[in-house]
Amino acid sequence: MQPFVRTEIGKPEQWLIEAGAAIGLNFSVFIHETTNQFRDHVLNRHGDPAIHGTATVINEDFSRIPSIIQKPDMAIIGVKRKGATYIVYVKTESNVTYLYFEQILNSRRNKALRGSTFYKVTRPLLLNEVLKNISRNDKTDLKEAKIFTRGKS
């Protein structure tokens, strides 16, 4: 078993700090991060070409994460699943829609927006398709989530 390794991506952008403040969250003290467990999960769950075909997440896709969180087409803040709260970032590039999920970790010792999962759909998605895609498992609650598009709510 590998030791737990965190990789810091950086501080939240101003648009995210403002969006968080609009719903009562102070993201100014948080950092974006991923872990080796996140990377392993994504490759194990979404990285098999035999299952996912052209939607397979490959190593090069991870380098897109900083641009996805800096300038998403859409961010859905406050998604709830199994007692945890998430931000879902959506970005479409070259007719591929990337969905990147961060768990909001807000404890005394840990103020992080930690990568949870990452996958892609091989076509642009409309808002209703994004919402259906992230809530299809009936374990995800969007009732309190707020949607921000290109820096606007």
Side-chain angles (χ1 to χ4, degrees):
M1 185 171 179
Q2 296 178 353
F4 183 75
V5 178
R6 289 187 287 201
T7 302
E8 185 174 319
I9 298 173
K11 295 278 188 186
E13 296 290 317
Q14 188 62 35
W15 73 265
L16 182 58
I17 292 169
E18 292 170 7
I23 60 172
L25 297 169
N26 179 10
F27 289 141
S28 67
V29 296
F30 284 68
I31 60 160
H32 293 284
E33 68 181 23
T34 60
T35 67
N36 57 320
Q37 293 174 349
F38 158 77
R39 188 178 192 86
D40 291 346
H41 159 78
V42 171
L43 291 174
N44 288 335
R45 184 78 171 85
H46 309 288
D48 185 346
I51 296 171
H52 303 290
T54 57
T56 300
V57 175
I58 58 176
N59 280 318
E60 291 77 25
D61 289 325
F62 290 99
S63 66
R64 296 179 184 278
I65 292 172
S67 70
I68 291 169
I69 61 178
Q70 288 170 356
K71 293 186 178 181
D73 296 329
M74 177 188 322
I76 305 165
I77 303 174
V79 174
K80 306 273 190 199
R81 180 156 197 240
K82 295 183 178 178
T85 305
Y86 296 86
I87 302 171
V88 180
Y89 302 88
V90 182
K91 182 144 185 108
T92 302
E93 296 176 348
S94 302
N95 288 322
V96 175
T97 302
Y98 295 89
L99 294 102
Y100 174 65
F101 293 63
E102 284 183 327
Q103 184 177 356
I104 300 170
L105 301 175
N106 188 12
S107 68
R108 185 172 47 85
R109 290 180 20 180
N110 198 356
K111 303 279 188 205
L113 303 172
R114 182 175 292 164
S116 174
T117 196
F118 178 48
Y119 58 93
K120 60 188 179 182
V121 177
T122 55
R123 63 183 177 83
L125 296 178
L126 300 172
L127 173 61
N128 65 327
E129 294 173 307
V130 168
L131 297 175
K132 185 177 177 182
N133 193 288
I134 64 175
S135 64
R136 78 171 92 195
N137 58 23
D138 294 328
K139 297 176 185 173
T140 305
D141 181 2
L142 299 172
K143 285 184 275 212
E144 297 177 22
K146 301 291 185 209
I147 300 167
F148 296 86
T149 57
R150 298 189 191 268
K152 299 175 185 169
S153 62

